[in-house]
Amino acid sequence: MHISTKYQNLKSNFSSTIAPLISEYNAINLADGYTGFHCNSKLIGLVEKHLREGLNQIAPFQGEMALRKKLAIKTEELYSRTYQPQTEVTITAGVQQAMFTAISALVKEGDEVIVFEPANEYCVPAIQMNGAQPVYVPMKEPDFHIDWEQVQMMINSKTRMIIINTPHNPTGWVMKEIDMLRLQRMVNGTKIVILSEETFEHIVFDEESHQSVALYPILAERSIIIASFGETYHVTGWQIGYCLAPEEIMREFRKVHQVMVQSVNSPFQLALADFLSEKEEYKGLRKFYQDRRAFFIDLMESSKFKPIVSQGSFFQLFDFSEVSEEADKDFAIRLIKDRGVAVMPISAFMHEKSKRQVVRINYAQPDEILIEAANRLKQL
């Protein structure tokens, strides 16, 4: 039977391309976005508690109220913005689902969505699958930041959404107050919605602070925040995220969410609700990952890889131009086969090949893994 192609322009992402190679060559996986650390044993105990209590039925599609309330309290404490748990907080099956749902709910065919490249691999496909047009704005090199004058020139009557991500994956760039104020001034008085991914909100380095859209009233009124518990609590495999937005926006989000995801794992939601009271767990992430960043950069100091120092997240970019003249995707594949180390080329996050020879490395791994990976890379 011949099946006609519905999405002709959609391609498999690079992660799925290299996954079989990572397995075949038993490579050290510094390419994917998971954490290599165990979560707090207390959190595991809370999951077990709720499982044993028999709280294993379908949760409300909006999410368990206990978790929504705790998220609202946390957000108000951190950013002085009140979100109503009943109408403005929704629990999702991870960030990827939250992003797809938000775009499906708020963007229609013929709309334009501004995307800053490099961008998350699942961002552009979600736009295209909803019949909208991604408008690519390249981040300014060499340090990767947003040129707001260029953004202003891209905005027109078709612009429906601007997607931001801070701390930024894959570059590790962190938006500053001046960036948020310029964005706020740019969209004020328009019909543009901001989709703000803030997964790494607690992993910001060098005395910088996380600039959530929730801090800026005019932005917050037109923004939908998506984030994840996975990176915060070392439970990336749980795939539990959340969404915060004003009621009018959240109403549209939930229309799509309800038919897309019947509910998210109930006992795990309840465990996270209990664990959110452990504030030191997320407050300690800044120092934890800043120390790991320094540790890995020190390991790589004698190599030919040159860091573009991350300002946040647990990702670090390295320039490999002194190692090879290969295109970044070809180089990444050769690293797996020849050295048994998997990294992500910057082109994996762009709609065209990057002219720069840059790869992203995930350093959220135990010491022994990073040491072995660094030793293999230093042989190049």
Side-chain angles (χ1 to χ4, degrees), residues 43 46 50 64-71 91 229 233 238 266-278:
L43 179 55
L46 289 168
H50 291 295
E64 292 286 357
M65 181 57 75
L67 182 53
R68 286 187 276 153
K69 285 181 177 179
K70 286 290 189 70
L71 277 171
I91 308 304
F229 295 102
Y233 296 125
W238 290 11
S266 182
F268 284 72
Q269 285 192 61
L270 294 169
L272 287 166
D274 293 342
F275 198 65
L276 273 172
S277 299
E278 305 289 331

Side-chain angles (χ1 to χ4, degrees), residues 157-224:
S157 60
K158 294 183 178 180
T159 306
R160 173 56 175 161
M161 178 181 284
I162 298 175
I163 300 178
I164 62 173
N165 173 205
T166 183
H168 186 258
N169 174 19
T171 69
W173 178 67
V174 170
M175 293 180 73
K176 312 299 188 294
E177 181 181 11
I178 186 63
D179 296 297
M180 305 305 287
L181 291 174
R182 293 194 70 174
L183 175 62
Q184 181 171 255
R185 185 166 60 249
M186 196 174 295
V187 300
N188 190 25
T190 72
K191 296 182 179 180
I192 297 171
V193 177
I194 305 300
L195 177 54
S196 181
E197 186 193 333
E198 303 184 16
T199 293
F200 294 104
E201 62 178 323
H202 301 300
I203 311 177
V204 180
F205 308 139
D206 305 323
E207 306 307 318
E208 294 288 350
S209 59
H210 173 58
Q211 298 297 313
S212 173
V213 293
L215 287 167
Y216 300 86
I218 294 174
L219 275 183
E221 289 171 4
R222 62 176 64 248
S223 295
I224 183 164

Side-chain angles (χ1 to χ4, degrees), residues 99-350:
M99 178 170 284
F100 190 91
T101 303
I103 293 170
S104 299
L106 301 170
V107 173
K108 64 181 183 301
E109 188 171 352
D111 284 344
E112 292 184 356
V113 179
I114 291 179
V115 178
F116 299 105
E117 281 197 326
N120 278 334
E121 291 180 286
Y122 49 78
C123 175
V124 170
I127 297 168
Q128 294 172 329
M129 291 173 75
N130 282 282
Q133 179 66 39
V135 176
Y136 302 102
V137 178
M139 297 177 75
K140 300 294 286 186
E141 300 182 24
D143 60 339
F144 295 100
H145 66 275
I146 294 174
D147 181 341
W148 293 107
E149 291 183 6
Q150 186 176 6
V151 179
Q152 184 68 70
M153 290 189 294
M154 297 291 189
I155 292 176
N156 58 51
S157 60
K158 294 183 178 180
T159 306
R160 173 56 175 161
M161 178 181 284
I162 298 175
I163 300 178
I164 62 173
N165 173 205
T166 183
H168 186 258
N169 174 19
T171 69
W173 178 67
V174 170
M175 293 180 73
K176 312 299 188 294
E177 181 181 11
I178 186 63
D179 296 297
M180 305 305 287
L181 291 174
R182 293 194 70 174
L183 175 62
Q184 181 171 255
R185 185 166 60 249
M186 196 174 295
V187 300
N188 190 25
T190 72
K191 296 182 179 180
I192 297 171
V193 177
I194 305 300
L195 177 54
S196 181
E197 186 193 333
E198 303 184 16
T199 293
F200 294 104
E201 62 178 323
H202 301 300
I203 311 177
V204 180
F205 308 139
D206 305 323
E207 306 307 318
E208 294 288 350
S209 59
H210 173 58
Q211 298 297 313
S212 173
V213 293
L215 287 167
Y216 300 86
I218 294 174
L219 275 183
E221 289 171 4
R222 62 176 64 248
S223 295
I224 183 164
I225 297 171
I226 58 175
S228 169
F229 295 102
E231 288 75 5
T232 299
Y233 296 125
H234 310 303
V235 289
T236 42
W238 290 11
Q239 286 297 294
I240 300 179
Y242 58 90
C243 173
L244 309 169
E247 183 175 355
E248 185 179 5
I249 295 176
M250 186 60 77
R251 188 183 304 118
E252 300 306 308
F253 179 91
R254 286 181 173 178
K255 288 177 183 177
V256 178
H257 175 74
Q258 185 173 13
V259 297
M260 183 178 289
V261 180
Q262 185 173 23
S263 70
V264 177
N265 190 304
S266 182
F268 284 72
Q269 285 192 61
L270 294 169
L272 287 166
D274 293 342
F275 198 65
L276 273 172
S277 299
E278 305 289 331
K279 298 178 183 179
E280 292 306 312
E281 189 74 13
Y282 57 81
K283 288 182 178 180
L285 282 180
R286 174 194 293 263
K287 184 178 186 309
F288 177 77
Y289 278 116
Q290 185 163 318
D291 288 347
R292 300 218 61 71
R293 177 191 65 169
F295 175 71
F296 189 62
I297 289 177
D298 285 346
L299 287 175
M300 295 289 287
E301 187 175 10
S302 61
S303 77
K304 293 180 181 179
F305 291 81
K306 303 306 175 188
I308 302 169
V309 179
S310 172
Q311 301 170 10
S313 80
F314 49 61
F315 298 118
Q316 174 61 56
L317 296 184
F318 284 91
D319 186 305
F320 67 87
S321 57
E322 293 185 15
V323 180
S324 171
E325 296 181 353
E326 293 168 275
D328 58 356
K329 288 186 177 181
D330 294 335
F331 178 71
I333 290 173
R334 185 168 68 84
L335 270 188
I336 296 173
K337 294 179 177 180
D338 293 354
R339 298 296 174 182
V341 178
V343 300
M344 285 294 284
I346 201 75
S347 287
F349 306 96
M350 306 175 77

